[in-house]
Amino acid sequence: MITELEVKDLLRRGGYIADETISTAVFLALRMEKPILIEGPPGVGKTGLAKTLSEVMDFPLVRLQCYEGIDEGKALYDWEYGKQLLYTQLLRTQLDSYLSESADLRAAVERLSAEESLFFSRNFLVQRPILRSFLSEKRSLLLIDEIDRSGDEFEALLLECLSDFQVSVPELGVIPARNRPLAILTSNGTRMISDALRRRCLFLYIGYPEFDREVAIVRARFPELCEGLARQMVEFLRKARELNLRKPPSVSETLDWAQVLSILHTKQLTPEVVANTVGVIAKHQADLQQVNELAAQVMG
């Protein structure tokens, strides 16, 4: 059985710098076979954690991107109606002969109803992400991304899936998971997730990393960037997050900016460098001026 330290080391080798809270939550989720609900601002590494775990644990990634209006037909299972219709047409001759032996229309309907299970068998079942993850030959990582974009009805659908790791199909009965996946749900906190769903999950909040960890994240991804520049840009971005920006720069912007500065062979941040690359870290016109003014203030 893997240990907490091994989890942290695996993540580090996969390029994800985790703190003790993150590695402990992952360790417990693996040990207890419980889903993790991860909340936090956009771009702090929630989805990245799931992707890295998939790689380092060698769990196939099965991703379900949530959106308003998502239902069981997109998340759990659906019936392959086109294939059912094709089989019906191919078997028409046999069906005609089979039903011609019925005394009347009612008897023909009853006789046909007795055979309908043939058309609602696993041969015609379309496995959507959750069921596909449950029936995977190998333990998988099920990522239910941005659950806060879905509605209350969809959350209710997940309760059985995430507590018992099974899917109920009225025509087939209960389908248990062949291998329980490591399930990770992410939320940007745009909507309150129900207590019923929270109760079925371990909870992990990932916010903006502390200074040293964010520098380590940059250095792990872009080792060619000198440490002095990495520390300077992280310090600047932390100040930018204190501004009242419409979209504060997150860790994803930190990494994008590090890549840009690496491409440009930048050695030191100046107001000119910030002005030329500000579109990487500020995403609204109203934010651009504030970030440039901050650069002039702290670097001028």
Side-chain angles (χ1 to χ4, degrees), residues 217-226 254-256 258-259 262:
I217 290 170
V218 172
R219 295 280 290 152
R221 191 70 64 89
F222 301 99
E224 70 276 12
L225 209 69
C226 71
T254 303
L255 293 175
D256 287 345
Q259 183 178 16
S262 178

Side-chain angles (χ1 to χ4, degrees), residues 71-211:
D71 58 16
E72 63 180 4
K74 299 297 183 185
L76 301 179
Y77 70 90
D78 203 353
W79 292 105
E80 202 167 358
Y81 295 112
K83 186 177 177 182
Q84 289 171 323
L85 180 60
L86 176 63
Y87 273 56
T88 303
Q89 292 173 339
L90 292 174
L91 295 172
R92 178 176 297 171
T93 304
Q94 287 85 342
L95 284 172
D96 289 344
S97 174
Y98 179 67
L99 297 176
S100 65
E101 298 174 6
S102 304
D104 51 27
L105 183 59
R106 180 185 297 276
V109 171
E110 290 178 353
R111 197 165 191 185
L112 186 60
S113 298
E115 306 296 339
E116 67 182 11
S117 61
L118 293 174
F119 293 94
F120 288 96
S121 65
R122 292 202 181 193
N123 292 329
F124 300 98
L125 190 66
V126 181
Q127 296 176 16
R128 298 304 189 196
I130 292 178
L131 184 58
R132 186 165 71 249
S133 174
F134 283 9
L135 297 182
S136 172
E137 294 285 346
K138 186 177 180 181
R139 190 178 189 188
S140 61
L141 190 146
L142 174 62
L143 170 61
I144 303 177
D145 213 8
E146 298 184 332
I147 181 68
D148 50 325
R149 289 181 179 271
S150 67
D152 295 338
E153 292 181 358
F154 180 68
E155 275 191 37
L157 282 175
L158 295 180
L159 298 182
E160 178 191 13
C161 300
L162 297 181
S163 60
D164 299 325
F165 287 92
Q166 64 183 29
V167 174
S168 293
V169 181
E171 295 86 350
L172 299 178
V174 174
I175 301 178
R178 181 177 295 161
N179 289 295
R180 289 193 173 196
L182 172 59
I184 293 181
L185 295 78
T186 71
S187 168
N188 292 329
T190 59
R191 179 179 67 80
M192 184 63 73
I193 306 301
S194 70
D195 288 344
L197 186 58
R198 290 175 183 273
R199 187 165 55 81
R200 286 160 173 81
C201 303
L202 301 173
F203 179 73
L204 172 64
Y205 183 84
I206 299 181
Y208 298 119
E210 64 277 15
F211 178 80

